[in-house]
Every structure is written in C-alpha cells, then in structure tokens.
Amino acid sequence: MRKFISLISAAVLSMSLVSMPAQAANTAVIAVYDSDNILVYSTNTSKTDNVYSFRLPEEFEGYTYKVFNADAEYTVAYGEAVHEPAEEVLPEPTEEVTEIPTSTPEITAAPQKTPYPAVYEKALDAVNAPAVVDTVSETIIDGETYYVTTMLYQGVEIKSNIRDTVVIESAPSWNDNLRGQSAAALKEGDVIHFTCDLQGRIKSIEFIYRPDFTDYVNAGGDYGSKFSKLIGRDNYSTFYFGVPVKTAKGYMLLADASGKTTEIDLHSGTFVYAVSRGRRGSGVSFSGTGSGAIGNVHVISSNFDDNDNIISWDDADTSIYALARVRNGTATEVIVFEN
C-alpha cells in the first residue's frame, strides 16, 4: 500500500526527518530516484520516537524519495515531486515533525510509472538487486587505495571506487575464504550484492556466487546446494541454479544433474546477463530482457518425461548453466554462464 508521509528538511544540516505511525517497522530503506525513474542512491535508517532520520547528499535536493519498510511503501515528496500528480504534493514543510491525522482519507491516484524498472514489484527489490562484476583495477585517490570496480546492475553498467577498507562481509560456505577480503579479491563473473553509505559509496559487500565453469551434469561430483536452491537472503532474494533446458515466453526450466527441473516464471523485463569463457569467447555482457535473451541447452523431446524432468542427458550440450534471482516466484535477474 502506498501512503504519503510528512517530510521536514533542515537545509543547513541536510538532515531529513520522517514521522511514522507508532506501529511502523523499526527499520526502513531510503531510496532516491532521478527524473528518469533511475535509482541513484539508497541507504538504511532506523526509527527513534516514531521518526526516521537520515542524512542525504545535497545534490539530491529536488529528487523524489521513497521509504520502504516491512509494513508499506511510502512516497515522500521533497521539493517538486516529479512522480506524483500536482494536486497530491505535500503541504509546505513546517518546523516540527507532524503525522498525517488518522482521519484523513487515503489518497488515491491514477496508476503512475514506477520509479524503478518494471521487473521489480517494489523498490526494495531494486535496491537489493545483485551485481555481476566485470573488471577490477587498483587506483590511488588522495593517497588512499581504491579498487575501481565495473559491474552490471539493474541492466546497466556502473563503475564504483571501492575503498580498500571495505571487505566482503558474507559468502557461501564454499567461498568462505573470501570473507574479510577487499574488493581486490573479486573476479570477472562474480555475483555480489552491495550497500552504500550516505555519500553513495559502497560500504559493504555480500558475496553470492563465483563461476567455475564446471560441467556439473557430467562431472560426477556431489555439488549439493550449489546446484538447486542456492541461497536465501532475508526474504529479499532466493537464488536458483541449474541447466536451462527449456525457455518459453513467461517461464524457464532449470534442471539439476539428476534431471529434476524447477519452473521459474520470467517477466518481460527480467534482466539477463552473460558470463562467457572458453570457446564462445570471454567477458561479461548484458544480453537483454525476458525469455528471448536466455540461451538454453538443447534437449530432444524424448529426453523429457511427462513432468518435464530430464530422463537422459544423451547428446545434450551441458556447457551452459544459469543462476536466477527470484522474488515471489519470478526471476528478476538471470545470469547465464557459458563455457
């Protein structure tokens, strides 16, 4: 449910205060969007005396802010609200934080274009999107060591200078050796999640997956959780891993080494990235959106049973596999690895 809440800004300190209902969640995500509906900044905040307080860089004055917590999505109009009808602009800021009276009827409006890519149901899904690492190089800025990291994120290429004091805070058990290391440990094709500080600089890294381009189907090893439902993350994301044996409009089938398949819904805006190495070349690239951007392993129809599981891998090229980030049953991103 979308609600309007009051925002008070102290220009000198660049401090923003948002009053909340007493029952509102204790923590929230603050997201900032530009006039092109692109997420440009995000940070976390907590509630004190029913007020969320947070500092934002001055360059974001006039942008539209969103506050997301476990209860609802809130639209905050700061300056000129570029995504809301004019008649719904909030009253002029006052000197005190005030709550909208509970008797005020809920404001309704015609459907508006969301300030984040359509594949995400909520901005919180966008903020927690995974990134695919392309290149990492070391540089010195004002005597400090940084790692210039180029990544694909929300369908576009971004570049960030990550300070050498920022470390990988979490990683799956099979990549536990990366925990505590700086961005220098990242490699082409790594899948990560990051958070930013109030200045928009990356402040933490969560490591999700590193491709090793193994032919999991024919290798004969027991890869366990590396080959199905990979990881769950605070209800924000679930990652599935397997061989894409069938893609069609609106869904794909991922198979594990035993041939058991999992059907995953696809959105027309699902972001698809390709990580290639070997005979098909090498590199990280954006393939497009939707099912048409996902390659699949050719498996003849007689190799499927009546439940769409694989009963034989004969003559199948299993050098392609995929990692899908799923929210509410639908893949928001799919990373395809080709060897």
Side-chain angles (χ1 to χ4, degrees):
M1 177 171 61
R2 177 177 290 180
K3 301 179 181 178
F4 282 85
I5 52 182
S6 59
L7 173 70
I8 295 173
S9 178
V12 176
L13 298 177
S14 298
M15 171 69 80
S16 297
L17 303 175
V18 180
S19 63
M20 301 297 294
Q23 70 272 20
N26 289 327
T27 60
V29 172
I30 310 299
V32 183
Y33 302 91
D34 65 13
S35 59
D36 294 321
N37 293 329
I38 301 298
L39 179 69
V40 295
Y41 179 79
S42 67
T43 188
N44 298 319
T45 185
S46 58
K47 186 178 69 173
T48 302
D49 296 328
N50 295 331
V51 172
Y52 289 144
S53 63
F54 49 94
R55 296 184 184 275
L56 293 167
E58 294 181 356
E59 61 264 30
F60 295 133
E61 181 175 354
Y63 284 56
T64 292
Y65 304 123
K66 302 280 184 174
V67 179
F68 301 89
N69 59 29
D71 304 309
E73 300 184 9
Y74 299 88
T75 298
V76 179
Y78 183 97
E80 181 182 4
V82 297
H83 302 301
E84 301 296 336
E87 63 270 21
E88 295 181 354
V89 176
L90 294 174
E92 291 294 322
T94 61
E95 294 182 357
E96 296 181 357
V97 178
T98 58
E99 295 186 20
I100 294 178
T102 56
S103 60
T104 301
E106 183 177 353
I107 298 175
T108 59
Q112 301 291 312
K113 180 180 178 182
T114 59
Y116 43 85
V119 69
Y120 304 115
E121 291 186 1
K122 300 179 179 180
L124 195 62
D125 299 336
V127 170
N128 286 283
V132 183
V133 176
D134 187 4
T135 62
V136 180
S137 60
E138 183 178 321
T139 190
I140 304 297
I141 302 176
D142 295 332
E144 301 287 342
T145 300
Y146 289 79
Y147 298 101
V148 184
T149 307
T150 303
M151 299 171 281
L152 297 181
Y153 176 72
Q154 293 188 17
V156 297
E157 181 180 282
I158 63 172
K159 183 178 291 186
S160 180
N161 295 329
I162 305 177
R163 198 169 184 175
D164 65 348
T165 55
V166 174
V167 299
I168 298 171
E169 296 186 353
S170 64
S173 59
W174 49 88
N175 293 123
D176 193 61
N177 61 304
L178 295 174
R179 193 188 305 267
Q181 295 195 45
S182 70
L186 298 176
K187 296 182 179 180
E188 179 184 88
D190 284 349
V191 182
I192 66 171
H193 170 261
F194 58 82
T195 60
C196 297
D197 64 14
L198 296 179
Q199 286 73 45
R201 299 171 300 195
I202 291 179
K203 67 177 182 179
S204 68
I205 300 171
E206 176 189 20
F207 194 88
I208 297 172
Y209 182 73
R210 168 167 291 172
D212 56 11
F213 298 97
T214 296
D215 183 344
Y216 291 106
V217 170
N218 298 308
D222 179 9
Y223 291 92
S225 59
K226 291 183 68 174
F227 206 83
S228 54
K229 185 175 180 180
L230 184 67
I231 184 173
R233 183 181 171 276
D234 299 333
N235 297 320
Y236 292 147
S237 308
T238 299
F239 290 85
Y240 287 83
F241 180 82
V243 178
V245 293
K246 182 183 292 185
T247 55
K249 185 177 181 179
Y251 79 96
M252 71 174 175
L253 292 180
L254 288 183
D256 64 16
S258 72
K260 181 180 179 181
T261 59
T262 298
E263 181 175 322
I264 296 175
D265 291 340
L266 298 173
H267 187 281
S268 60
T270 297
F271 294 118
V272 181
Y273 309 109
V275 180
S276 302
R277 187 180 72 178
R279 64 174 187 255
R280 293 183 175 88
S282 62
V284 174
S285 61
F286 175 56
S287 300
T289 59
S291 58
I294 302 174
N296 61 280
V297 172
H298 176 71
V299 180
I300 60 177
S301 57
S302 60
N303 285 7
F304 287 92
D305 65 15
D306 293 339
N307 296 316
D308 270 340
N309 294 311
I310 306 298
I311 56 178
S312 172
W313 288 104
D314 291 347
D315 300 321
D317 179 3
T318 55
S319 61
I320 299 175
Y321 56 103
L323 178 69
R325 183 236 188 175
V326 176
R327 288 290 293 129
N328 297 324
T330 299
T332 55
E333 292 87 9
V334 176
I335 304 101
V336 179
F337 302 94
E338 302 178 78
N339 191 14

